[in-house]
Amino acid sequence: MSLLAKQYRWLLAFALMLIITNGISTTFAASETGSNTSAPIVNQVKSFVPTIPYANNFSPTPNPDKIYFSDCGHYLSYGFLRFWQMNGKFDSFGCPVTDELTENGRTVQYFQKARMEYHPDLAGTQWETSLGLLGTELYSVASPEERANPAYQPIAALPNGDSRVYFEATKHSLGGGFQQFWNTQGGLYFFGYPISEEYPLLVGDTWVAAQDFERARLLFHPSFGVKLAELGPLAAAARKVSTQASGLDPSVMSVTKDTRIWEHWVDVNLTTFNATFMEGDTPIKTILVVSGKPGHETPVGTFAIFSRIPNEHMKGGDIGTEDYYDLYNVLYTQYFTSEGHALHYAWWRSSFGYQASHGCVNMGLDESFYAWNFLSIGSHVNIHY
């Protein structure tokens, strides 16, 4: 996600917090209350495979093993398809610009923004499927004039701080919006170390800020924020790899960039307090949540989202009792039972991973915003222990 998009999201959330709507004031028993000052803080789990993925005969759309992008002209299959699907799809990699091929005895595939590589010798590690060193390779074949750019010259060590970090491995630094993007969108694993400082670059008829990394190039302009440059076709051309479109095998599913191939749903594990957002049978993102406390347990079963309210007013219980609550600005509320159980932002909580709600699935701001965009009316909510 670009920095501008993130800024927009926070501005939207702030604006919604200021709105006191005249809409429905819910009186469902599942709505929320209470603080969590005595609640334990649980570290977020980064990956998770649901223990009961398809309860109550619910089965998401089967994952195809191979697809053909008709508007890209190439296939994507098996391990590379799963890696593409789990790590940002078009935002991170763009379209495939080749099919799978063998280079130096290794299976690879070029995309607009990256080259995926399969390393069987690293099976079982995060580097089994990883990204090629496109930035380093393109620098090695750059013209003398391009290599003379002062931005590529090593710089003296700098003290590390919040605004800038120095990497001794390449003797370059990283700061500002590029540093934030690098930190939040994959870091060393996706981008590698910086191999330049920031420099001006003419892209089409627009001057942008650029910085090169071992595996990528980042671009910045106020009109689009920070994004990845399309180095894949350049790297393919440097290695004389054809990007000519492939013919369609009629036995393979043909899709476009706008096709929704897999069903989006969420799996909530009440034992681990994990909510895992699923695309078909592939886990995409896992977060910690707060679930219902004893006496107000979050219901178990498979449900479907039937109502979405961006800024809800929740009210319930009897005044003067422990169960009374009256909460405004409950953002990104998605109801999945007629009793009022919902997924939503809980601004009154500072940690997650325990029981405390009145039955709803409480999330942080970033997480509830993600759920709002990932799910929709009809999306399944599968809840189990």
Side-chain angles (χ1 to χ4, degrees), residues 2 97 101 118 137 139 176 183 217 237 264-265 309 319 330 370:
S2 72
V97 297
L101 58 115
Y118 176 59
E137 292 172 15
Y139 174 75
N183 284 335
R217 173 180 292 157
H264 284 194
W265 57 287
I309 301 176
I319 296 177
V330 184
Y370 181 90

Side-chain angles (χ1 to χ4, degrees), residues 128-146:
E128 181 175 358
T129 298
S130 53
L131 303 183
L133 301 173
L134 299 192
T136 300
E137 292 172 15
L138 289 172
Y139 174 75
S140 70
V141 298
S143 68
E145 293 77 15
E146 291 171 319

Side-chain angles (χ1 to χ4, degrees), residues 277-311:
F277 297 95
M278 304 288 295
E279 194 171 59
D281 62 5
T282 301
I284 302 298
K285 179 183 179 68
T286 295
I287 65 171
L288 280 175
V289 299
V290 167
S291 63
K293 61 186 178 181
H296 295 280
E297 289 83 0
T298 301
V300 172
T302 301
F303 311 92
I305 292 172
F306 66 89
S307 176
R308 287 161 38 101
I309 301 176
N311 188 347

Side-chain angles (χ1 to χ4, degrees), residues 10-41:
W10 283 97
L11 287 172
L12 173 62
F14 180 71
L16 288 171
M17 288 288 287
L18 298 178
I19 296 172
I20 304 299
T21 63
N22 294 320
I24 298 172
S25 174
T26 60
T27 57
F28 293 138
S31 300
E32 306 306 314
T33 187
S35 65
N36 57 292
T37 54
S38 61
I41 297 177

Side-chain angles (χ1 to χ4, degrees), residues 312-334:
E312 181 68 297
H313 173 202
M314 293 184 172
K315 184 176 181 180
D318 297 322
I319 296 177
T321 68
E322 182 180 346
D323 285 337
Y324 177 72
Y325 53 89
D326 188 0
L327 299 167
Y328 285 91
N329 302 316
V330 184
L331 304 183
Y332 310 126
T333 301
Q334 302 188 77

